[in-house]
């Protein structure tokens, strides 16, 4: 019998480590961002997992704030040629967007599972 994560901090930890939101042991992804069909440890069906554009939106807001702010400060203080901006910010954008995308998607799926978030249904089946 595998253990079940019941705490919010446990769910956050499992999500950030891209592990199964129920047992915290099975892998969540089979590619870079594609969820597996189910957990190979506890058998949880990942069919519920639909984080949509959530991870990308959070990362775009955060990275946009950081990179645009850093580019503005660099331009105001040093006035470098444009190729320096391209050399600095293009690799940084790739690193700070693609790096946290997978853990952020894992986190959102784990929180979706923890809070049992799902689309609303109008046929009365979601009510007790
Ligand atoms: Zn599992």
């Amino acid at each position: 019998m595998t253990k079940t994560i019941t705490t919010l901090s446990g769910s956050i930890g499992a999500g950030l480590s891209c592990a199964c939101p129920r047992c915290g042991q099975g892998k969540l992804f089979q590619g870079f961002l594609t969820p597996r069909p189910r957990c190979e440890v506890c058998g949880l069906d990942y069919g519920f997992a639909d984080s949509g554009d959530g991870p990308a939106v959070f990362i775009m807001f955060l990275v946009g704030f950081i990179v645009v702010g850093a580019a503005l400060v660099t331009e105001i203080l040093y006035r470098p040629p444009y190729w320096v901006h391209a050399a600095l910010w293009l690799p940084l954008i790739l690193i700070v967007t693609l790096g946290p995308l997978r853990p952020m998607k894992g986190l959102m799926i784990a929180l979706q599972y923890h809070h049992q978030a799902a689309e609303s249904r109008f046929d009365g089946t979601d009510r007790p």
Side-chain angles (χ1 to χ4, degrees):
M1 183 73 185
T2 58
K3 68 172 185 161
T4 301
I5 296 172
T6 56
T7 62
L8 180 60
S9 60
S11 292
I12 290 172
L16 289 176
S17 62
C18 302
C20 170
R22 182 162 73 183
C23 68
Q25 297 173 347
K27 293 177 182 173
L28 183 59
F29 298 112
Q30 61 185 0
F32 182 60
L33 289 174
T34 306
R36 293 173 180 266
R38 64 185 63 252
C39 175
E40 74 260 12
V41 176
C42 71
L44 174 66
D45 185 359
Y46 292 152
F48 71 91
D50 181 17
S51 59
D53 294 335
V57 169
F58 280 115
I59 289 172
M60 282 190 314
F61 281 134
L62 186 65
V63 168
F65 181 76
I66 293 170
V67 172
V68 171
L72 284 174
V73 167
T74 302
E75 176 62 27
I76 290 170
L77 291 180
Y78 304 108
R79 294 195 177 270
Y82 288 127
W83 68 266
V84 174
H85 281 294
L88 283 175
W89 311 125
L90 291 179
L92 180 67
I93 289 171
L94 287 177
I95 292 168
V96 295
T97 52
L98 296 179
L101 193 54
R102 199 167 191 251
M104 183 64 84
K105 184 167 182 173
L107 174 64
M108 298 207 73
I109 290 173
L111 292 177
Q112 182 183 6
Y113 177 77
H114 181 81
H115 295 291
Q116 298 175 346
E119 287 186 32
S120 178
R121 295 176 187 228
F122 298 104
D123 57 2
T125 58
D126 60 340
R127 294 185 182 159

